Amino acid sequence: MKQISDKDVAVIILNWNAYMDTFECLKSLEHLTYTHFHIFLVDNDSKDDSFKKLQQDYEKGKFNLSITFIQTAANLGFAGGNNVGIKAAYNRGYQYFWLLNNDTVVDSNALTPLVDAIKNYEGVGIVGSKIYYYGTKKIWFAGGKVNKWTGKTKHIGYREEFSKKHNNTIEVDYITGCSLLFRKELINQLGYMSEDYFLYYEETEYNLKTKMGGWKILFIPESIVYHKVSNSSGGEENIAPYYDYYDLRNSFILIKRTQSNLKTIVCLFYLFVKFFKKLIKILIKRHKNKKVRIRYLFLGLKDALSEKMGKHIDI
């Protein structure tokens, strides 16, 4: 087995029923100018044949990459699936871990500035990329902010066209798990991401805990990634009915777990405000599956209050 050095990066990619997206993501990684990396491709119990096809492609030499294939045998959610890959890489001795969504395509220079920043800036635990909507120069993410009274998160630069004001390295509240590179010391200090969120806010909690642990979090604009936004959950304009369930429940749990009692009380009030705003939006907009969406909304409120975590029930 290859000796792992401090140059080597473990790239963690989670596949779930998305052969073409994952294939395109992997092909883009072939062009990275930074070559000291190994891919841990984790399949979250796909129900199609995507994982098998990707393995066959690798055996046929279709990828000029070094890949370790891992099957979870159950859908463990975002954090659970990624943690499987992170643990495998950690046990091999990797010091840097790059979480990368499978529905991304990376610029050839995407990894180099991330590694340079986390090595050269003092006290940095997490770094992340500038993320554009796939095939455009419209920004999806240029760093993240978290309102610690409401749990509301905000993407800096969201939906802005190319702008020079987002070309500076800045310290931010959080980096999205879409493209997030972190150092081994965080695992030693904080452990792994909480898996009971199942989907959404788990990496936000990890970012907040990282800052609380004394580390800095940096947005690195020279690292460019293109994202097919929310492909696994229907896309921004047709988001899956269960999205509001996780958004409502997990944003409240995030604050309850990481902030003071006073902020938790304020967030509890905001939880009901958020619930009614979402309910009105469902009622007045031309959404499909309105009854299902409303049921998920009530379930999200109920589970937030009772702190029932894990995967949503199927409605």
Side-chain angles (χ1 to χ4, degrees):
M1 187 176 292
K2 175 190 170 185
Q3 183 69 32
I4 305 302
S5 74
D6 63 357
K7 293 182 179 180
D8 292 303
V9 175
V11 183
I12 315 298
I13 299 175
L14 191 60
N15 176 72
W16 185 66
N17 299 327
Y19 169 74
M20 286 306 302
D21 284 342
T22 305
F23 182 92
E24 188 176 7
C25 177
L26 291 170
K27 292 301 288 184
S28 72
L29 291 169
E30 293 179 342
H31 305 290
L32 285 176
T33 55
Y34 192 91
T35 58
H36 303 283
F37 69 92
H38 180 84
I39 297 165
F40 292 80
L41 182 59
V42 181
D43 186 72
N44 227 353
D45 195 30
S46 294
K47 297 306 180 184
D48 59 2
D49 60 352
S50 57
F51 191 59
K52 182 179 179 181
K53 287 173 69 176
L54 291 164
Q55 286 179 301
Q56 291 173 343
D57 289 341
Y58 184 67
E59 292 165 0
K60 293 175 182 177
K62 290 187 179 181
F63 299 119
N64 184 26
L65 298 164
S66 179
I67 306 174
T68 294
F69 290 84
I70 304 173
Q71 173 60 262
T72 63
N75 187 350
L76 304 179
F78 177 83
N82 275 293
N83 280 347
V84 169
I86 295 167
K87 289 172 184 177
Y90 181 91
N91 291 336
R92 288 197 195 178
Y94 282 87
Q95 297 183 42
Y96 300 103
F97 309 83
W98 186 21
L99 304 187
L100 186 66
N101 272 21
N102 70 314
D103 59 353
T104 61
V105 170
V106 303
D107 180 80
S108 61
N109 193 46
L111 185 52
T112 301
L114 295 181
V115 175
D116 288 345
I118 206 164
K119 285 187 174 183
N120 297 329
Y121 285 94
E122 185 177 355
V124 173
I126 295 175
V127 293
S129 309
K130 179 188 287 185
I131 304 174
Y132 291 110
Y133 284 90
Y134 179 75
T136 76
K137 283 295 182 179
K138 181 183 287 187
I139 294 172
W140 181 70
F141 182 85
K145 295 181 179 180
V146 182
N147 186 321
K148 298 178 182 66
W149 293 89
T150 66
K152 189 174 181 179
T153 59
K154 178 184 177 182
H155 286 198
I156 299 169
Y158 181 64
R159 288 184 173 270
E160 292 182 22
E161 297 292 343
F162 179 78
S163 172
K164 289 184 179 179
K165 68 180 179 181
H166 301 301
N167 282 350
N168 296 318
T169 295
I170 58 171
E171 191 168 351
V172 295
D173 291 337
Y174 79 98
I175 293 296
T176 173
C178 181
S179 175
L180 179 157
L181 188 142
F182 69 99
R183 58 171 65 248
K184 179 181 181 179
E185 287 85 349
L186 297 190
I187 299 174
N188 297 337
Q189 182 177 335
L190 306 173
Y192 296 90
M193 287 186 291
S194 299
E195 298 182 6
D196 59 353
Y197 284 88
F198 192 79
L199 195 62
Y200 305 123
Y201 290 94
E202 54 276 275
E203 82 272 33
T204 312
E205 183 193 83
Y206 204 73
N207 276 264
L208 290 181
K209 287 181 176 179
T210 296
K211 276 211 162 185
M212 292 163 66
W215 297 92
K216 296 176 184 177
I217 298 170
L218 297 182
F219 162 68
I220 310 298
E222 295 82 9
S223 172
I224 303 295
V225 170
Y226 298 91
H227 186 206
K228 304 168 189 174
V229 176
S230 301
N231 263 15
S232 63
S233 55
E236 283 189 321
E237 303 306 320
N238 187 36
I239 201 74
Y242 58 74
Y243 169 80
D244 282 337
Y245 169 81
Y246 290 120
D247 183 44
L248 204 62
R249 184 194 70 179
N250 291 356
S251 60
F252 174 70
I253 296 300
L254 169 75
I255 298 305
K256 187 172 180 63
R257 288 183 175 180
T258 62
Q259 304 303 313
S260 66
N261 289 336
L262 177 60
K263 289 181 179 179
T264 300
I265 292 169
V266 173
C267 190
L268 178 61
F269 172 77
Y270 183 73
L271 175 67
F272 285 92
V273 173
K274 190 174 182 179
F275 168 82
F276 284 111
K277 287 174 68 175
K278 285 180 176 291
L279 180 60
I280 292 168
K281 186 177 179 180
I282 292 171
L283 291 173
I284 66 175
K285 291 195 75 172
R286 292 184 177 180
H287 279 306
K288 296 179 180 178
N289 305 312
K290 282 195 175 188
K291 289 184 179 179
V292 174
R293 292 179 188 278
I294 291 171
R295 289 174 67 188
Y296 269 126
L297 201 57
F298 276 94
L299 186 63
L301 179 64
K302 172 179 171 291
D303 287 353
L305 296 173
S306 64
E307 299 179 49
K308 181 181 178 182
M309 300 297 283
K311 186 180 185 296
H312 68 79
I313 63 170
D314 291 319
I315 295 177

